[in-house]
Amino acid sequence: MAAKWIETLVGSLEQKKQYKRHMARIEALPGPYRSAAKALQRYFMYHGGILDGDTLITMLGDFVDLWERAVADGTPVRAIVGDDPVEFAETFLQAYSGKQWIDKERERLRTAIDAAAGDNGEETSA
C-alpha cells in the first residue's frame, strides 16, 4: 500500500531502478565512449523533454546498447555521432517522440484560445 502511494507522488520505482542500471552501464564504458555517452545523455535530458517514463527508459536502454556495441566492435566515437553531435542527438531523440512536456503546453494554449474565442461569441469567417 505504501509503495503505491509513493509511486503516485514520485513515479514508478521500477523505472527509477532501470534508469540507475542504465546509468551504471554508461559509467562502465571505457573513457572516450563514457564521456561521449554522458554528454549526449545530458543533452537528451535538457533537450528531449520526454515525459513518458516508459519511453525514456526504452530510449536510454537502446542508447546504452548502441554504445556497448560500439565498444565491442571497436567503432570510433566519431563514426557513431558523425561531424555534428547535435544533429545526431536530435535525430536519435526523434525516434523516441513519445509524449513531451511541450505537448501539455500546446494543448493548454489550444484550450485557452478556444475558450477565449467561444466566450466572446466570436465566429470564424471564411
Side-chain angles (χ1 to χ4, degrees):
M1 173 111 172
K4 277 289 191 196
W5 182 78
I6 292 170
E7 283 193 16
T8 300
L9 291 176
V10 298
S12 168
L13 297 176
E14 183 55 37
Q15 287 175 348
K16 289 179 181 356
K17 291 175 186 176
Q18 289 175 330
Y19 178 83
K20 287 182 179 184
R21 285 193 297 266
H22 292 324
M23 293 308 293
R25 289 170 60 197
I26 288 175
E27 286 297 327
L29 294 169
Y33 297 96
R34 179 179 54 246
S35 296
K38 286 172 73 172
L40 285 160
Q41 185 271 338
R42 177 181 169 88
Y43 187 83
F44 293 160
M45 294 300 116
Y46 279 97
H47 178 72
I50 297 173
L51 286 180
D52 178 42
D54 290 332
T55 302
L56 180 64
I57 294 301
T58 299
M59 180 197 72
L60 192 55
D62 292 347
F63 178 70
V64 177
D65 289 345
L66 169 72
W67 288 101
E68 288 173 341
R69 280 193 305 269
V71 169
D73 296 342
T75 306
V77 169
R78 277 286 177 200
I80 298 165
V81 300
D83 293 331
D84 186 356
V86 172
E87 181 181 348
F88 169 83
E90 292 179 4
T91 301
F92 190 88
L93 281 168
Q94 285 176 356
Y96 301 91
S97 60
K99 194 172 186 181
Q100 298 181 345
W101 66 270
I102 195 66
D103 295 335
K104 183 167 74 173
E105 291 306 316
R106 287 177 179 142
E107 188 55 35
R108 185 177 290 168
L109 175 60
R110 286 183 186 105
T111 301
I113 297 301
D114 289 346
D119 287 345
N120 295 327
E122 293 181 3
E123 293 184 31
T124 56
S125 58

